[in-house]
Amino acid sequence: MKIRSVLSALALVLGVLFAPGVGVFSSASDAFAATKISQATAESMFRSVGITWSSSGGCTNRNNSTCTSFDQLNLATAQGAQTLKRATGCAMNITGGTETGHASGTYSHWNGYKLDIGKSTCLNNYVHSAFSYIGLRGDGYPMYQSGSGNIYTDEGNHWDVLYYNCGGC
């Protein structure tokens, strides 16, 4: 009976250690279930730290590519933007969220992992000095990685930010 209890406990521990996104052997590339938030919740979170947002269409419809939507944004993504705002003290304007029209994939805008943030001298200087340059993305844009593993890609007129986590919130 004692051997069965020990084996059961060992199986539970190993399951936690090797579970994607949970144990010590996980990585930023392991997808895991994310808590989704509404447009209103994201707006409230952003407003609370002074983050603004805009869209070329002046709308928030997730199914319209000219809108900036936060519908189905990951909670950790919104928290990551808040963390960045608090760390930098820079003005931040979000120009892209979960709306259609972005590249697809597991860690995509549509799936709630990415935000587009307008560039500014303040934000550019912070990213270049605080994060590590990690090379060019497949499309040739330079990427920087924060200590928490989030990826900041300079796409010319904005930062395409991939939030694997909240960045130490």
Side-chain angles (χ1 to χ4, degrees), residues 123-142:
L123 187 56
N124 298 349
N125 288 342
Y126 183 86
V127 170
H128 292 145
S129 65
F131 302 151
S132 301
Y133 174 74
I134 59 170
L136 299 177
R137 198 168 64 182
D139 55 9
Y141 290 115

Side-chain angles (χ1 to χ4, degrees), residues 65-142:
S65 64
T66 66
C67 297
T68 296
S69 176
F70 304 132
D71 186 36
Q72 295 298 303
L73 188 68
N74 294 340
L75 175 62
T77 300
Q79 291 170 325
Q82 288 180 308
T83 300
L84 180 66
K85 170 64 176 167
R86 289 182 182 115
T88 66
C90 300
M92 283 177 48
N93 184 58
I94 298 171
T95 60
T98 60
E99 67 280 350
T100 190
H102 298 280
S104 62
T106 301
Y107 296 105
S108 64
H109 282 271
W110 183 261
N111 288 336
Y113 287 93
K114 286 186 162 192
L115 291 172
D116 287 341
I117 301 172
K119 289 176 72 175
S120 68
T121 301
C122 180
L123 187 56
N124 298 349
N125 288 342
Y126 183 86
V127 170
H128 292 145
S129 65
F131 302 151
S132 301
Y133 174 74
I134 59 170
L136 299 177
R137 198 168 64 182
D139 55 9
Y141 290 115

Side-chain angles (χ1 to χ4, degrees), residues 1-10:
M1 289 305 251
K2 288 185 178 186
I3 291 175
R4 184 176 299 165
S5 297
V6 169
L7 289 176
S8 295
L10 181 60

